[in-house]
Amino acid sequence: MRMTVKELDAYQVISEKYVKELNSEGIILEHKKTGARIFLLSNEDENKVFTIGFRTPPSDSTGVPHILEHSVLCGSEKFPVKDPFVELVKGSLNTFLNAMTYPDKTVYPVASCNDKDFQNLMNVYMDAVLHPGIYNEEKIFMQEGWHYELESEESPLVYNGVVYNEMKGAFSSPESVLDRYTRNVLFPDTCYSNESGGAPDAIPSLTYEQFLDFHRRYYHPSNSFIYLYGDMDMAEKLDWLDREYLSRYDRQPVDSAIHMQKPFEKPVEREIYYSITETEPEEQATYLSVNTVVGDDLDPIHYMAFQILEYTLIDAPGAPLKEELVKAGIGQDILGGYENGILQPYFSVIAKDADREQLGEFLAVVKGTLRKLADQGINRKSLLAGINYYEFRYREADFGSAPKGLMYGLQSMDSWLYDGDPLMHLEYEKTFEFLKKAVEEGYFENLIKTCLLDNPFEAVITVSPKRNLTAIEDEKLREKLAEYKKSLSDTEIKTLIEKTRELKLYQDTSSPKEELEKIPLLKREDIEKQPEKLCLEVKEIDNTTVLAHNMFTSGIGYLKVLFDTNRVPAEDLPYVGLLKSVLGYVNTKEHTYSDLASEIYLNSGGISLSVTSFPNLEEPEKFTGAFTASARVLYEKLDFGFSLIGEMLADSILDDEKRLCEIVAEMKSRSQAKLNSAAHSAA
């Protein structure tokens, strides 16, 4: 007979309840021997998720949490192979396999629909975080963190290392510079003032011993947060966790508490620089931002209300803050919104590609618009559209390729990490109920007044371009390393050359066969022979092919209308992509683009346009291009989906040059940001 979670002697049940919103049984437990925190969401989802996370507040910007996140996945006690991550991928059916470093936590999530695979992944990850090979092999730290590299006596001395190089790339993006610097300025007395990913100039001051100390201090079950989600025998999994790993440890005091920043008595103003090349213009290349701390992450109403304000004020077509700044000619693109997932979230308004001299005007427009909205009221339709948009997203729980169980786990950390209830932000029905009524009671206007206007806990940050800043810094670093090399004795030079050679040999040498065989891989008999059946019916209605999929979708109808692009001349295909970005963001014969957005989100989960291509498997050089309009609506509103798609496609007004220029400027700005942050994807 199967044991229940309550019958496990190793754990104490703190609370349990049925979570209607997630159709799950939620159980919060504590491991008696170590104090490890456990959160279970048991349901019928076959896409199972396991996460182990640790609170890892950085005390400096050497990037030790980030380097450790990389390093623990480079071999462990049970699985000594050098790169278990790569080996696992070869024989796993995982739906997610990664690790992430945040400003105050490090998490290791895995997901799989296959039971055997899921157990394998749990085993490898638990052994990786608790028994990594870092204590036996310093080269892991050198490879993943940083090391001196010297090829020969004549070669220049350089820094190298995976995280060191990764963060040099991250720090070259102005958006990334602004994001990191904002936390540094807003929270000068807490862990958020430090860079958990590592600042390139600070990483080389981290020693191997400090790196090991960080693991000893924080990677202990007493400081762990363990999450299990999906259709599995939870008692069996918990029993295995205790037997194989947790029972080997005793409870240990771990001071990892995240401290609150004392609010400012008056706003602060700072400027920082990012590098541009000789050919890039300095005009219209500055980022202007105002960032205000708005409470903490343990208020579920605030947590949701500020997401809705982000949509209403900045993201929605015709959003007032964005509209007024664009009208005033401040910036090519307006970004920002509610930054949560830290103890004290903040709300940002950012004008990208503005002029430095516009700072005063930028602040006047932001504060003036907010004051007007607080005094005269926010458009009710726009607020209700925002609430409906988020409620639809929460109910639908469609996170693209990421399993929803993974996203629930990460969201639970927004309260759980700070000793709150992990279900706080997952039980959303009462919150939406409250906010719908609150629209008529001036709640959102009051939120603007108290949190964004009459609140001195604020930082005005400018990120300005500086020509060849990277080249200047690189030259300084070259000189510093050249000076250091001059100070070394012949013996020390030879030692560095030998260490460089040994590290390269270590990296180039494959793990022995017997180590590779320890990685648990799926066998053929562990995999279902039958693929999932497609529930697809093909019909012809009025000379149009209709593909119907009759399946459970929680009452939501998914509608796609595809148009073959074969009539578009090849040289005009780029304009199909432009058209996709314009429709829905210009007026139609029936609606202004602002009213159109409200109409869409009041009645649906959204209408989106995309351009895609389907390969021809018979003739690889041929393809079918498609312009696609997609709508997500409740079944009874399918007609609305068709009529709005029809309005956007047939009745959009496409000759407003001013509006088209605004859209193109925003597209250009976002494309540049994408190239900066994800050039590998573009390539």
Side-chain angles (χ1 to χ4, degrees):
M1 201 173 87
R2 258 168 55 155
M3 192 180 268
T4 66
V5 167
K6 282 181 179 174
E7 293 172 294
L8 296 172
D9 290 335
Y11 299 89
Q12 179 187 346
V13 175
I14 309 292
S15 70
E16 61 176 319
K17 70 190 296 192
Y18 173 67
V19 188
K20 186 173 68 170
E21 291 87 340
L22 311 182
N23 192 23
S24 303
E25 199 62 47
I27 307 179
I28 301 166
L29 308 99
E30 184 181 280
H31 184 250
K32 290 176 185 173
K33 190 164 185 272
T34 62
R37 304 161 186 85
I38 320 282
F39 175 39
L40 314 177
L41 279 175
S42 182
N43 51 49
E44 292 177 0
D45 193 343
E46 63 169 353
N47 201 354
K48 296 168 280 292
V49 179
F50 164 77
T51 302
I52 180 163
F54 302 93
R55 218 158 32 194
T56 51
S59 57
D60 55 37
S61 293
T62 57
V64 59
H66 187 188
I67 296 168
L68 207 44
E69 176 232 304
H70 281 238
S71 300
V72 300
L73 295 170
C74 291
S76 64
E77 195 178 278
K78 275 189 198 172
F79 311 107
V81 56
K82 280 196 308 190
D83 206 339
F85 207 72
V86 170
E87 295 307 319
L88 264 178
V89 172
K90 292 177 187 175
S92 163
L93 292 173
N94 73 80
T95 52
F96 192 87
L97 180 73
N98 212 336
M100 293 92 97
T101 304
Y102 292 89
D104 53 15
K105 62 183 173 282
T106 311
V107 294
Y108 297 85
V110 293
S112 181
C113 296
N114 181 288
D115 292 344
K116 181 82 183 290
D117 187 38
F118 183 69
Q119 184 61 45
N120 290 346
L121 295 170
M122 276 180 71
N123 198 4
V124 172
Y125 264 48
M126 282 300 291
D127 204 58
V129 297
L130 294 178
H131 315 134
I134 57 175
Y135 293 94
N136 310 322
E137 183 52 85
E138 188 180 353
K139 291 187 189 74
I140 295 172
F141 167 70
M142 293 166 68
Q143 170 182 283
E144 300 300 323
W146 77 278
H147 60 274
Y148 286 116
E149 192 157 290
L150 189 62
E151 300 279 351
S152 66
E153 288 180 28
E154 298 74 40
S155 304
L157 182 67
V158 295
Y159 290 137
N160 208 342
V162 175
V163 168
Y164 175 75
N165 289 325
E166 188 182 316
M167 295 312 291
K168 279 195 84 169
F171 270 65
S172 67
S173 149
E175 281 91 351
S176 185
V177 168
L178 174 59
D179 181 47
R180 293 159 199 282
Y181 191 59
T182 300
R183 283 195 301 274
N184 176 275
V185 173
L186 283 174
F187 309 108
D189 308 317
T190 76
C191 67
Y192 299 124
S193 68
N194 300 309
E195 177 46 61
S196 64
D201 60 348
I203 290 171
S205 64
L206 180 68
T207 68
Y208 177 52
E209 201 45 53
Q210 287 167 335
F211 163 78
L212 296 179
D213 276 346
F214 196 90
H215 183 269
R216 287 187 198 105
R217 190 180 319 134
Y218 293 123
Y219 278 61
H220 189 281
S222 300
N223 186 45
S224 69
F225 297 77
I226 295 171
Y227 165 77
L228 282 162
Y229 166 94
D231 185 7
M232 69 187 94
D233 183 340
M234 291 291 186
E236 183 255 320
K237 290 284 178 266
L238 289 177
D239 185 49
W240 174 84
L241 275 169
D242 172 64
R243 199 173 60 249
E244 290 293 317
Y245 291 101
L246 301 180
S247 61
R248 291 167 62 171
Y249 294 83
D250 293 315
R251 193 181 287 251
Q252 178 178 300
V254 182
D255 180 13
S256 64
I258 313 297
H259 300 291
M260 297 280 271
Q261 173 65 45
K262 189 181 168 204
F264 299 166
E265 289 178 12
K266 59 180 185 183
V268 299
E269 204 170 305
R270 297 280 188 278
E271 183 170 23
I272 194 170
Y273 298 93
Y274 75 97
S275 184
I276 57 169
T277 61
E278 282 291 351
T279 55
E280 290 176 284
E282 286 179 304
E283 300 73 37
Q284 295 192 327
T286 295
Y287 289 69
L288 307 173
S289 77
V290 56
N291 314 274
T292 318
V293 177
V294 288
D296 62 45
D297 237 357
L298 297 174
D299 182 334
I301 305 283
H302 258 203
Y303 182 88
M304 187 62 69
F306 272 104
Q307 291 179 64
I308 290 156
L309 272 182
E310 175 185 333
Y311 169 83
T312 308
L313 300 178
I314 297 174
D315 292 344
L321 262 181
K322 186 176 195 168
E323 192 93 318
E324 291 302 319
L325 285 163
V326 169
K327 208 189 288 178
I330 302 170
Q332 303 290 310
D333 193 5
I334 307 304
L335 313 166
Y338 183 57
E339 301 294 334
N340 58 6
I342 56 175
L343 178 57
Q344 293 168 281
Y346 57 94
F347 195 89
S348 295
V349 184
I350 302 161
K352 179 185 173 187
D353 295 336
D355 283 321
R356 194 163 168 250
E357 298 71 39
Q358 293 180 304
L359 180 60
E361 193 186 351
F362 165 75
L363 292 172
V365 171
V366 171
K367 295 297 181 182
T369 306
L370 290 174
R371 181 68 63 195
K372 188 177 169 189
L373 292 167
D375 293 344
Q376 297 176 19
I378 307 168
N379 182 314
R380 295 281 175 269
K381 209 173 178 184
S382 180
L383 276 174
L384 289 168
I387 291 171
N388 191 58
Y389 167 68
Y390 273 100
E391 186 172 11
F392 211 100
R393 276 179 62 177
Y394 269 70
R395 288 190 187 284
E396 189 182 27
D398 178 6
F399 302 101
S401 61
K404 63 183 174 185
L406 165 78
M407 302 310 286
Y408 292 151
L410 293 176
Q411 204 174 354
S412 73
M413 293 293 254
D414 286 355
S415 49
W416 196 21
L417 195 80
Y418 314 116
D419 304 320
D421 179 357
L423 285 165
M424 184 182 288
H425 302 311
L426 297 174
E427 294 181 294
Y428 53 78
E429 283 199 350
K430 283 184 182 161
T431 301
F432 281 117
E433 221 172 276
F434 170 86
L435 291 172
K436 282 174 194 169
K437 289 181 189 155
V439 167
E440 299 303 329
E441 294 161 4
Y443 174 80
F444 286 93
E445 287 81 358
N446 191 50
L447 213 54
I448 288 176
K449 190 174 182 309
T450 54
C451 295
L452 299 178
L453 287 168
D454 304 340
N455 177 7
F457 198 170
E458 187 168 272
V460 175
I461 296 173
T462 307
V463 183
S464 303
K466 191 171 264 192
R467 216 171 279 297
N468 295 325
L469 185 62
T470 300
I472 292 163
E473 285 171 351
D474 286 349
E475 185 52 39
K476 278 185 191 165
L477 180 60
R478 268 194 294 274
E479 287 170 7
K480 178 185 163 185
L481 288 169
E483 281 300 312
Y484 177 64
K485 186 184 171 191
K486 273 186 204 168
S487 73
L488 299 174
S489 66
D490 288 350
T491 310
E492 287 169 325
I493 294 269
K494 285 190 173 69
T495 304
L496 275 183
I497 293 168
E498 183 56 23
K499 278 192 163 183
T500 301
R501 191 191 65 77
E502 285 173 0
L503 180 60
K504 281 200 165 23
L505 185 65
Y506 168 78
Q507 291 170 324
D508 292 342
T509 307
S510 300
S511 295
K513 188 168 179 283
E514 60 273 17
E515 285 184 5
L516 288 167
E517 285 170 352
K518 289 182 179 177
I519 289 287
L521 303 178
L522 288 178
K523 295 184 173 61
R524 200 176 302 174
E525 58 268 25
D526 299 324
I527 300 169
E528 291 283 337
K529 286 184 180 176
Q530 296 304 317
E532 274 195 62
K533 282 197 172 71
L534 280 176
C535 47
L536 170 64
E537 189 189 339
V538 184
K539 309 173 186 175
E540 283 288 328
I541 303 174
D542 296 337
N543 296 322
T544 301
T545 306
V546 177
L547 309 183
H549 303 75
N550 187 12
M551 57 198 286
F552 177 72
T553 58
S554 303
I556 297 169
Y558 293 86
L559 167 65
K560 274 192 177 186
V561 185
L562 291 86
F563 300 89
D564 197 324
T565 59
N566 62 358
R567 295 185 192 177
V568 182
E571 65 272 18
D572 288 342
L573 277 173
Y575 293 98
V576 180
L578 177 61
L579 182 67
K580 172 231 10 169
S581 302
V582 165
L583 297 179
Y585 291 87
V586 292
N587 298 340
T588 68
K589 289 173 187 170
E590 302 292 320
H591 296 96
T592 66
Y593 63 88
S594 175
D595 286 342
L596 181 70
S598 295
E599 202 61 35
I600 288 170
Y601 286 116
L602 278 169
N603 292 283
S604 75
I607 293 175
S608 60
L609 302 169
S610 61
V611 182
T612 188
S613 58
F614 301 94
N616 183 328
L617 299 180
E618 314 287 305
E619 301 177 70
E621 70 282 359
K622 292 187 177 176
F623 70 93
T624 304
F627 183 91
T628 307
S630 310
R632 307 196 309 274
V633 288
L634 296 173
Y635 294 153
E636 64 270 20
K637 292 202 172 181
L638 274 168
D639 284 352
F640 169 85
F642 275 110
S643 70
L644 252 286
I645 286 173
E647 182 180 333
M648 286 164 69
L649 296 180
D651 294 332
S652 287
I653 297 164
L654 298 172
D655 56 6
D656 180 347
E657 288 191 15
K658 182 175 178 293
R659 181 63 192 142
L660 291 174
C661 278
E662 290 167 3
I663 294 168
V664 171
E666 186 178 295
M667 284 173 68
K668 181 187 172 196
S669 155
R670 298 200 176 179
S671 296
Q672 284 174 328
K674 205 170 170 187
L675 276 171
N676 275 336
S677 62
H680 60 294
S681 303

